[in-house]
């Protein structure tokens, strides 16, 4: 059964039977890795997909903001511009909410 090992220097998580010879992120040796407990590993596995979803939503929110900005610049009429301004603000809220949630996950070892 695969285990998770964490680099104590940079936080990189390795999945495998043993720690890697060299950390792919900070290039230090396997002696810098510690094996995670099953509870710690469970947090990482259970949050893996939701972290990806938050990341994807952030990308989509950026697309909405960019589209809304284009609409604002076209400046067809005040109602239209107002709708795009709202969309741009809402995209910001969506993005920042996801970022805050991700930050909370990182702090709690869910990453
Ligand atoms: Zn490292």
């Amino acid at each position: 059964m695969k285990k998770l090992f964490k680099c104590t220097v940079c936080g990189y998580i390795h999945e495998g039977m043993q720690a890697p010879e060299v950390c792919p992120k900070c290039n230090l040796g396997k002696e810098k890795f510690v094996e995670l407990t099953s509870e710690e590993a469970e947090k990482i596995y259970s949050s893996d997909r939701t972290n990806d979803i938050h990341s994807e939503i952030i990308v989509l929110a950026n697309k909405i903001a960019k589209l809304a900005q284009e609409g604002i610049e076209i400046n067809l009429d005040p109602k239209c511009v107002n709708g795009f301004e709202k969309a741009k603000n809402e995209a910001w809220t969506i993005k920042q909410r996801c970022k805050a949630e991700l930050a909370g996950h990182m702090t709690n070892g869910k990453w």
Side-chain angles (χ1 to χ4, degrees):
M1 191 180 134
K2 285 181 181 175
K3 300 168 183 170
L4 293 182
F5 299 86
K6 183 178 183 177
C7 176
T8 56
V9 176
C10 72
Y12 177 84
I13 302 287
H14 172 81
E15 184 186 53
M17 298 308 290
Q18 55 191 21
E21 290 301 318
V22 173
C23 176
K25 184 167 185 298
C26 72
N27 297 320
L28 293 175
K30 64 165 29 167
E31 71 281 358
K32 297 295 183 188
F33 279 82
V34 294
E35 185 180 336
L36 295 184
T37 65
S38 57
E39 188 184 322
E40 290 168 331
E42 179 57 31
K43 277 188 183 178
I44 287 171
Y45 283 126
S46 66
S47 62
D48 187 54
R49 179 61 185 148
T50 55
N51 288 339
D52 287 348
I53 292 170
H54 281 302
S55 299
E56 202 169 327
I57 288 173
I58 290 166
V59 170
L60 292 171
N62 282 330
K63 284 185 184 173
I64 290 169
K66 197 174 169 194
L67 283 170
Q69 182 59 39
E70 186 186 342
I72 291 166
E73 286 167 14
I74 290 171
N75 197 15
L76 181 65
D77 61 58
K79 270 188 186 173
C80 183
V81 169
N82 183 259
F84 287 135
E85 282 171 349
K86 281 184 177 168
K88 191 178 171 186
N89 289 336
E90 287 158 358
W92 173 265
T93 300
I94 290 167
K95 180 169 79 168
Q96 295 306 321
R97 187 170 48 225
C98 285
K99 283 184 175 180
E101 187 59 27
L102 281 172
H105 285 191
M106 304 298 163
T107 305
N108 295 316
K110 297 174 183 171
W111 54 304

